[in-house]
Amino acid sequence: MTSSRWTVPLLSVLFVLLWASGFIAAKLATRTTDVPTVLFWRFVIAAAATGVAAAWLRPAMPRGRSLVHLVVTALLLQVGVFSAVFTGLARGVPAGLTSLVVGLAPLLVGLLTPLVLSTRLGAAPAIGLIIGAGGVYIVASGGLSAGGPVGPVLLPVLGMAFLTAGTLYQKRFNDDTPVASGVAVQMVTSMLVLLVAMPFLAPQWLPTGAGGWVAVAWLGVINSAGTFAVMFVLLRRRSTVHVSALMNLSPATTALLAVPLLAEPLTGRAVVGLLVALVGMFVGLGAWPRLRRRRDDVSPVTRSGSMHP
């Protein structure tokens, strides 16, 4: 019972760190390697890793409509999100700012979940999402006011839209799909899409140097396979709002990781933004007693679509 009690908190911390590390690795990779090449090898490595996991675990493989839904999810959560985000990074958008823009997706997910999934959104998740978005804004406003690129930021904004749609689609149609087979199908689908597109997008087929390979390997094994496996487990055990609250921590966490890994200076805004996002997660996950009591007064809904963290 104790082990089960700590499972979700540990997975939540791991998810935040893995999600944030992806922006760092992508920034490093796109400094020397074309975006399509980074994406292609990311998905090749991820497909191999998840394929081995699926062969070992032997989960039920999706067929028919379930397979089609997974393909659509792959186009949204994998190809769509990371094509836009990586292109923005390659065009000069800082890793921290990219994470901040993408970090606005949880607010959209939280606002759209009651409409798309026909569930109720309690007071605690709604207030927590707003506070967390405030933490995102604190750090993001510093990047833009310092003369950061405005035009390329539209690319992470597009990635944010894909992430919002993909998260809701995953929760709506793929919630009962085994994690191992679901992630494997998504990575193989994404790899095939990039394989077809590569001749038209990038003559460079291999990453540049050992650093490029290390960054791509991290993106493929840890960020692609690992992060999304953890994400899908959390979506099954909790809700889209739980994952959304955790994503509010990603922007400031990325900014902190960028200090030693990308030699980016630590700003006061990043520290303040992280603290505000932490408060947002604390409230959004129902840890605030008064809001928790109000949340518990909401009529229960089915587990698969429950908005209770």
Side-chain angles (χ1 to χ4, degrees), residues 61 74 151 182 248 287 300:
M61 296 305 295
N248 278 324

Side-chain angles (χ1 to χ4, degrees), residues 36 39-44 46-47 70-83 182-198 224 228:
L39 287 171
F40 174 68
W41 285 103
R42 177 187 196 271
F43 293 132
V44 167
L70 281 173
V71 170
V72 174
T73 303
L75 295 177
L76 293 172
L77 274 183
Q78 305 296 334
V79 179
V81 171
F82 295 104
S83 293
V183 177
V185 169
Q186 289 192 43
M187 296 307 165
V188 171
T189 298
S190 302
M191 178 190 69
L192 294 176
V193 170
L194 264 296
L195 179 62
V196 172
M198 276 289 286
S224 289
F228 280 92

Side-chain angles (χ1 to χ4, degrees), residues 92-94 97 140-153:
V93 183
L97 183 55
S141 60
L144 292 176
S145 63
V150 178
V153 171

Side-chain angles (χ1 to χ4, degrees), residues 179-260:
V179 173
S181 59
V183 177
V185 169
Q186 289 192 43
M187 296 307 165
V188 171
T189 298
S190 302
M191 178 190 69
L192 294 176
V193 170
L194 264 296
L195 179 62
V196 172
M198 276 289 286
F200 304 98
L201 299 177
Q204 179 186 7
W205 280 89
L206 298 176
T208 303
W213 278 108
V214 170
V216 168
W218 181 274
L219 289 170
V221 177
I222 306 300
N223 189 244
S224 289
T227 302
F228 280 92
V230 174
M231 176 183 176
F232 296 155
V233 171
L234 285 173
L235 284 172
R236 183 164 300 172
R237 288 175 174 263
R238 288 297 183 263
S239 68
T240 55
V241 174
H242 181 94
V243 176
S244 296
L246 294 176
M247 285 184 177
N248 278 324
L249 296 177
S250 176
T253 303
T254 302
L256 293 174
L257 290 175
V259 176

Side-chain angles (χ1 to χ4, degrees), residues 7-29:
T7 298
V8 170
L10 290 175
L11 286 176
S12 299
V13 172
L14 180 62
F15 174 77
V16 173
L17 293 175
L18 292 180
W19 186 267
S21 72
F23 294 97
I24 304 295
K27 186 67 174 180
L28 292 172

Side-chain angles (χ1 to χ4, degrees), residues 107-305:
L107 180 59
L108 292 178
V109 171
L111 293 175
L112 293 175
T113 292
L115 299 177
V116 176
L117 302 182
S118 299
T119 59
R120 295 189 178 187
L121 186 65
I127 295 174
L129 286 169
I130 293 173
I131 295 174
V136 170
Y137 174 78
I138 289 173
V139 192
S141 60
L144 292 176
S145 63
V150 178
V153 171
L154 295 178
L155 289 164
V157 169
L158 180 61
M160 174 192 66
F162 278 122
L163 178 59
T164 301
T167 302
L168 291 169
Y169 197 93
Q170 165 70 27
K171 185 67 177 178
R172 174 66 177 84
F173 295 106
N174 302 321
D175 203 34
D176 296 327
T177 303
V179 173
S181 59
V183 177
V185 169
Q186 289 192 43
M187 296 307 165
V188 171
T189 298
S190 302
M191 178 190 69
L192 294 176
V193 170
L194 264 296
L195 179 62
V196 172
M198 276 289 286
F200 304 98
L201 299 177
Q204 179 186 7
W205 280 89
L206 298 176
T208 303
W213 278 108
V214 170
V216 168
W218 181 274
L219 289 170
V221 177
I222 306 300
N223 189 244
S224 289
T227 302
F228 280 92
V230 174
M231 176 183 176
F232 296 155
V233 171
L234 285 173
L235 284 172
R236 183 164 300 172
R237 288 175 174 263
R238 288 297 183 263
S239 68
T240 55
V241 174
H242 181 94
V243 176
S244 296
L246 294 176
M247 285 184 177
N248 278 324
L249 296 177
S250 176
T253 303
T254 302
L256 293 174
L257 290 175
V259 176
L261 299 177
L262 297 177
E264 294 182 357
L266 178 63
T267 66
R269 289 179 183 271
V271 175
V272 173
L274 176 58
L275 293 176
V276 172
L278 280 171
V279 172
M281 185 185 72
F282 180 78
V283 174
L285 298 184
W288 197 272
R290 293 183 179 179
L291 291 176
R292 188 172 187 174
R293 285 196 295 270
R294 290 186 61 185
R295 180 196 68 176
D296 293 338
D297 291 337
V298 179
S299 300
V301 290
T302 60
R303 176 175 175 81
S304 63

